[in-house]
Amino acid sequence: MKLLNNKFPNIFIEKNSLYTKSVDKKTFFDEKTFVNNNIFFREWDPKRSKLAAGLMKGLSQIGLKEGSIVLYLGASHGYTPSFISDIISNNGFMFCVEFSPEVARDLVTICEAKKNMVPILADANHPEIYKELLTEVDIVYQDIAQKNQVQIFLRNCDAYLKKEGFGLLAIKARSIDVTKKPRDIYQQVRSELEKYITIVDYRELEPFEKDHAIFVVKKK
Ligand SMILES: C[S@@+](CC[C@H](N)C(=O)[O-])C[C@H]1O[C@@H](n2cnc3c(N)ncnc32)[C@H](O)[C@@H]1O
């Protein structure tokens, strides 16, 4: 088991599979686990997580570190959030926004079991709704398959991301325009982002996620 990259905490690779080191030693998704030198590892599937796919595709910066404060938009059942929770460890904290009450039920269960994440049932189109619940964050992570996903992301970065903070934006090209080629959509997203924010990394996620890409940005 070795660190994936010296710059990333708590993310490991072994035989081409990704793992996080889990402080709380709990599993939530029937993922493979193992213990080595009393350290508990959870396998992280790049076919279920765009961040894991981006890491397997060689992302060189993600901004996440132990102690990071994260705003996660589109937390769903909590799969990727549960791994980010491992990465930021118990001195970090994550606000998990999800608007579907059905999937948020699973998210709530995970948030109850983990010490460093809290669910927020809200529409990320309206960041002002949760302004009483959070302050500035180090990272905004978004995985929302909506036509206006870039605007939702920029709105939340504008409201909550600190200066020089990192944003990670997973893009589902087909949700933006099913008639256009994904590469053309990524180019369009790049132009929109560049008006407000600096792009520091970008990966297309095939073969793990078809027609998806991830942008890593930094607030000016
Ligand atoms: C692709 S899933 C996210 C998967 C999750 N990020 C993971 O990797 O485990 C997208 C989620 O975004 C949620 N969503 C879509 N639009 C939203 C909005 N405007 N505000 C909050 N959540 C939204 C959906 O309900 C869905 O659960």
Side-chain angles (χ1 to χ4, degrees):
M1 183 71 73
K2 64 174 198 294
L3 267 177
L4 177 65
N5 180 321
N6 285 336
K7 285 193 281 182
F8 309 155
N10 301 332
I11 308 175
F12 295 81
I13 189 148
E14 167 83 4
K15 295 187 185 139
N16 219 24
S17 294
L18 278 185
Y19 293 83
T20 56
K21 182 176 100 181
S22 169
V23 182
D24 48 52
K25 307 186 176 172
K26 291 180 179 137
T27 62
F28 304 95
F29 297 93
D30 292 329
E31 65 272 31
K32 239 200 301 178
T33 62
F34 74 89
V35 179
N36 188 357
N37 285 334
N38 215 19
I39 299 173
F40 188 90
F41 295 95
R42 302 169 58 214
E43 188 176 4
W44 189 10
D45 184 355
K47 292 204 162 126
R48 282 185 81 175
S49 168
K50 282 123 209 166
L51 179 56
L55 290 166
M56 292 302 276
K57 292 296 300 277
L59 278 179
S60 62
Q61 311 194 53
I62 54 171
L64 291 162
K65 46 185 187 238
E66 283 199 8
S68 291
I69 309 296
V70 181
L71 172 59
Y72 192 115
L73 306 168
S76 194
H77 299 273
Y79 185 75
T80 302
S82 75
F83 291 93
I84 293 183
S85 159
D86 289 345
I87 295 166
I88 62 177
S89 197
N90 277 349
N91 53 343
F93 200 79
M94 180 163 43
F95 303 93
C96 302
V97 176
E98 171 55 53
F99 77 170
S100 158
E102 288 78 29
V103 301
R105 259 194 289 269
D106 294 338
L107 179 65
V108 169
T109 307
I110 295 176
C111 291
E112 279 169 357
K114 290 206 161 246
K115 289 196 173 69
N116 63 357
M117 49 194 278
V118 70
I120 299 177
L121 190 62
D123 183 346
N125 269 297
H126 303 288
E128 67 284 357
I129 296 174
Y130 32 92
K131 76 168 188 294
E132 306 296 332
L133 302 174
L134 58 145
T135 52
E136 261 196 344
V137 299
D138 304 309
I139 315 277
V140 172
Y141 182 95
Q142 181 180 298
D143 179 12
I144 282 181
Q146 296 281 359
K147 190 169 177 49
N148 67 336
Q149 52 198 278
V150 178
Q151 288 69 36
I152 297 176
F153 177 72
L154 287 171
R155 233 173 262 158
N156 279 272
C157 288
D158 185 44
Y160 299 114
L161 186 59
K162 71 176 193 193
K163 199 164 174 262
E164 311 235 310
F166 280 86
L168 296 124
L169 173 62
I171 289 291
K172 183 176 181 182
R174 303 257 168 227
S175 298
I176 294 179
D177 190 339
V178 76
T179 65
K180 285 195 181 151
K181 287 195 192 117
R183 282 260 163 90
D184 293 342
I185 300 280
Y186 303 148
Q187 192 49 49
Q188 178 188 318
V189 170
R190 175 177 289 278
S191 309
E192 283 174 56
L193 290 174
E194 276 172 345
K195 287 184 210 151
Y196 306 97
I197 217 150
T198 308
I199 297 171
V200 296
D201 207 342
Y202 158 80
R203 304 284 151 159
E204 291 174 20
L205 301 183
E206 290 194 26
F208 304 106
E209 292 273 7
K210 193 171 181 303
D211 301 334
H212 282 75
I214 191 164
F215 285 85
V216 184
V217 304
K218 213 167 174 190
K219 191 164 177 177
K220 292 176 187 164

